[in-house]
C-alpha cells in the first residue's frame, strides 16, 4: 500500500509499504477514505524529530471502511463505515471507565512514561503505524472505532477522530458560564473549532486571537470577535484590548490552542533545533532533558484570564518547561486543565451536532483536499501557512 512516511526533519515521502494485517483478536483493518493533516503532525515534521525513526508512518485522523475484523471485535463487520480516534484505548480498564481513555492502562506506553498509545506519533506513544495511508490496522477495535451512517460525505464525520473531541474537551475544561466569555489563543483547526463549540454550548462572547489573516477571517465570519496580534506593539496592549471588552476583568476563560508552536524564546528554538542535529542515540535524551517549551501563549493566557477564571490547554506541550508564572497563577486563583482529548468520552455528545443543519460548520471546514500522493506539498504548505491552509484532508 501507499503511505506517508517520515524520513527526516521537514522530509516526508509517500512510499510503498507492506499492507497491515490482523495480528490480535481485537484488531480491525480499515480502508482509509479520508485522513487529516493535524497541527501536531508538524511537531514531528520539525520539533520532535529526535523521537522519530525513518520510515515511520504518519497520521492520526482517519475514517474509512472496515475490511477485516478479529474474533474479539463483536460489534464491527466488513463494510461498516467508521471514524478511528487518534488514541488507542481498550474501554475496559479503570482509566477508560473513568472517562480517561487518553490514559488507558492497557495501552499506556510505560517504557516511556507516557499515556495511551497514539497512531503515527513517535516512539514516545508506541511507534504505532499511522493513518496517512491506504489501509490502517486498528488495535483495540472492540472499543475505538465510531460507526457512522452512510450518505453524508466524509467531511461530516472525519473530525470525530481528533479535531472535534479536542475542541470539545477544551471548551468543557474551560468551564465557561452560560452567557460568559472566552478567549481562544490560536485559530488553527483546534482553535477555530473551539470557537464554534463554545458558541453552540452557550458562550455569550467568543474572542479569537491569531496573526494569520485567513484564520482571522474564517473566525470573524462565524461571529467571533477577532484580535490580530500584528496590530499590537506588545502582549500588554493585546491583553488590555480584550479586558476593555470585558468590563476590565478579562474573559471568564482562556483556551490555549497554540501549545509549543507559539513564537517564544530564542533559547527554546535553539534547544529544539540542536537536539535534531545530534546523533540519534543521544538526541532523544537531550530533547527530553533540555528542551524548553515555547510558553508565550500560556503566559498570555495566564495574564489575560479574569481572576478566578479557567485556563484550558489544548495545545501540545512537551519537554522541560520554562519557569511558570506561579505567583500570578496563585494570586489570581486560576484553575488550569489540560491533556490529550478523551475521544470516546465526548463522541456521543458531539454526534447530535453532525446533522444536515451543520451548526459546527464541518461540511466546509477543510480548506484543502488533496490526494495522498501530494502529502509532501501538503506538509510544507501547512507548516508555512501558505495558500490559506487551515485544515487539510487527504484522500488515499
Amino acid at each position: 500500500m501507499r503511505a506517508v512516511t517520515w524520513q527526516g526533519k521537514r522530509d516526508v515521502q509517500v512510499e510503498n509499504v507492506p499492507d497491515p494485517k490482523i495480528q490480535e483478536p481485537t484488531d480491525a483493518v480499515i480502508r482509509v477514505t479520508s485522513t487529516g493533516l493535524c497541527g501536531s503532525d508538524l511537531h514531528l515534521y520539525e520539533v520532535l524529530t529526535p523521537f522519530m525513526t525513518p520510515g515511520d508512518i504518519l497520521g492520526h485522523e482517519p475514517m474509512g471502511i472496515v475490511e477485516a475484523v478479529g474474533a474479539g471485535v463483536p460489534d464491527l463487520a466488513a463494510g461498516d463505515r467508521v471514524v478511528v480516534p487518534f488514541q488507542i484505548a481498550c474501554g475496559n480498564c479503570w482509566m477508560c471507565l473513568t472517562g480517561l481513555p487518553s490514559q488507558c492502562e492497557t495501552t499506556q506506553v510505560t517504557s516511556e512514561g507516557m499515556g495511551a498509545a497514539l497512531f503515527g506519533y513517535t516512539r514516545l506513544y508506541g511507534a504505532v503505524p499511522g493513518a496517512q495511508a491506504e489501509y490502517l490496522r486498528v488495535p483495540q477495535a472492540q472499543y475505538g472505532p465510531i460507526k457512522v451512517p452512510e450518505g453524508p460525505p466524509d467531511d461530516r464525520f472525519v473530525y470525530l477522530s481528533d479535531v472535534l473531541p479536542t475542541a470539545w474537551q477544551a471548551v468543557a475544561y474551560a468551564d465557561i458560564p452560560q452567557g460568559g466569555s472566552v478567549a481562544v489563543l490560536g485559530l488553527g483547526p483546534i482553535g477555530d473549532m473551539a470557537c464554534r463549540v463554545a458558541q453552540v454550548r452557550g458562550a455569550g462572547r467568543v474572542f479569537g486571537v491569531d496573526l494569520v489573516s485567513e484564520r482571522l477571517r474564517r473566525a470573524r465570519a462565524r461571529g467571533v470577535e477577532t484580535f490580530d496580534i500584528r496590530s499590537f506593539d506588545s502582549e500588554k496592549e493585546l491583553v488590555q484590548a480584550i479586558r476593555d471588552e470585558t468590563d476590565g476583568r478579562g474573559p471568564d476563560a482562556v483556551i490555549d490552542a497554540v501549545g509549543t508552536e507559539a513564537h517564544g524564546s530564542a533559547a527554546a528554538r535553539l534547544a529544539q533545533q540542536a537536539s535534531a542535529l545530534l546523533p540519534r542515540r543521544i538526541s532523544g535524551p537531550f530533547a527530553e532533558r533540555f528542551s524548553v517549551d515555547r510558553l508565550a501563549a500560556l503566559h498570555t493566557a495566564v495574564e489575560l484570564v479574569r481572576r478566578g477564571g479557567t485556563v484550558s490547554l489544548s495545545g501540545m506541550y512537551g519537554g522541560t518547561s520554562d519557569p511558570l508564572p506561579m505567583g500570578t497563577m496563585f494570586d489570581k486563583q486560576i484553575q488550569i486543565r489540560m491533556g490529550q482529548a478523551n475521544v470516546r468520552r465526548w463522541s456521543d455528545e458531539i454526534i447530535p451536532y453532525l446533522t444536515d443543519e451543520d451548526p459546527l460548520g464541518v461540511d466546509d471546514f477543510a480548506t484543502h483536499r488533496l490526494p495522498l500522493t501530494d502529502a509532501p506539498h501538503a506538509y510544507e504548505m501547512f507548516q508555512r501557512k501558505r495558500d490559506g491552509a487551515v485544515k487539510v484532508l487527504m484522500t488515499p
Side-chain angles (χ1 to χ4, degrees):
M1 70 171 183
R2 304 284 281 172
V4 180
T5 63
W6 184 92
Q7 299 297 332
K9 184 176 179 179
R10 300 196 198 106
D11 183 8
V12 299
Q13 299 177 20
V14 180
E15 296 188 312
N16 288 312
V17 300
D19 290 352
K21 302 181 184 302
I22 299 292
Q23 299 178 21
E24 302 289 342
T26 52
D27 286 352
V29 172
I30 72 163
R31 174 175 57 83
V32 177
T33 55
S34 290
T35 186
L37 175 53
C38 179
S40 58
D41 288 326
L42 297 183
H43 298 149
L44 313 183
Y45 193 61
E46 183 165 11
V47 176
L48 296 180
T49 56
F51 307 107
M52 299 294 290
T53 301
D56 283 350
I57 300 175
L58 301 171
H60 57 267
E61 296 187 348
M63 70 174 293
I65 306 299
V66 175
E67 292 281 307
V69 296
V73 185
D75 296 326
L76 287 183
D80 284 343
R81 190 186 192 196
V82 296
V83 178
V84 179
F86 70 91
Q87 67 209 194
I88 302 167
C90 71
N92 296 314
C93 69
W94 187 89
M95 286 291 183
C96 287
L97 294 174
T98 309
L100 292 169
S102 63
Q103 310 302 323
C104 176
E105 293 171 318
T106 300
T107 71
Q108 278 180 15
V109 187
T110 54
S111 61
E112 300 288 349
M114 306 301 277
L118 310 179
F119 288 103
Y121 216 79
T122 81
R123 65 170 173 79
L124 296 177
Y125 288 100
V128 181
Q132 290 170 4
E134 293 180 305
Y135 294 90
L136 176 70
R137 171 180 167 254
V138 182
Q140 304 298 328
Q142 81 288 348
Y143 174 67
I146 304 163
K147 286 198 282 189
V148 296
E150 296 293 336
D154 282 7
D155 294 53
R156 181 72 56 85
F157 304 113
V158 67
Y159 304 115
L160 283 168
S161 60
D162 185 347
V163 173
L164 279 168
T166 298
W168 197 272
Q169 178 171 292
V171 173
Y173 280 7
D175 196 25
I176 309 160
Q178 282 294 304
S181 58
V182 60
V184 179
L185 306 182
L187 296 174
I190 301 303
D192 186 340
M193 186 58 73
C195 290
R196 304 178 187 205
V197 171
Q199 289 170 327
V200 303
R201 287 175 61 105
R205 299 185 74 180
V206 180
F207 307 105
V209 180
D210 208 294
L211 48 67
V212 180
S213 298
E214 174 64 18
R215 295 178 175 187
L216 291 160
R217 184 198 63 76
R218 276 168 56 101
R220 193 161 49 246
R222 296 189 65 90
V224 176
E225 300 174 58
T226 58
F227 292 79
D228 187 339
I229 297 172
R230 298 168 298 181
S231 300
F232 300 92
D233 292 331
S234 67
E235 176 201 55
K236 183 177 181 180
E237 287 188 9
L238 169 65
V239 168
Q240 188 59 52
I242 299 176
R243 282 181 179 164
D244 289 344
E245 296 293 327
T246 55
D247 298 323
R249 286 187 294 269
D252 298 306
V254 176
I255 295 172
D256 172 2
V258 178
T260 198
E261 285 298 303
H263 298 283
S265 69
R269 193 176 302 109
L270 180 62
Q272 289 169 340
Q273 292 173 347
S275 67
L277 299 175
L278 293 170
R280 296 193 59 80
R281 62 185 178 83
I282 61 174
S283 61
F286 178 92
E288 289 179 292
R289 289 192 60 192
F290 298 110
S291 288
V292 285
D293 287 321
R294 304 175 186 182
L295 296 181
L298 177 55
H299 281 269
T300 300
V302 170
E303 182 67 21
L304 177 59
V305 72
R306 70 160 170 81
R307 291 177 180 272
T310 302
V311 172
S312 173
L313 306 184
S314 65
M316 179 181 175
Y317 286 99
T320 303
S321 62
D322 296 318
L324 292 171
M326 293 300 297
T328 301
M329 292 158 64
F330 182 84
D331 180 66
K332 293 182 71 172
Q333 201 169 332
I334 293 170
Q335 301 179 75
I336 297 182
R337 296 199 69 182
M338 68 190 81
Q340 298 277 13
N342 298 288
V343 176
R344 291 308 305 267
R345 162 68 179 82
W346 308 110
S347 57
D348 289 346
E349 292 184 21
I350 298 169
I351 286 174
Y353 290 88
L354 304 181
T355 62
D356 287 342
E357 289 73 26
D358 193 20
L360 295 172
V362 294
D363 285 349
D364 60 359
F365 190 69
T367 55
H368 293 73
R369 295 171 180 81
L370 301 171
L372 191 70
T373 51
D374 284 353
H377 165 67
Y379 269 82
E380 181 181 12
M381 175 180 65
F382 191 35
Q383 197 259 350
R384 296 182 181 275
K385 300 179 177 64
R386 289 177 174 167
D387 302 329
V390 178
K391 186 60 185 178
V392 179
L393 294 179
M394 295 183 286
T395 304

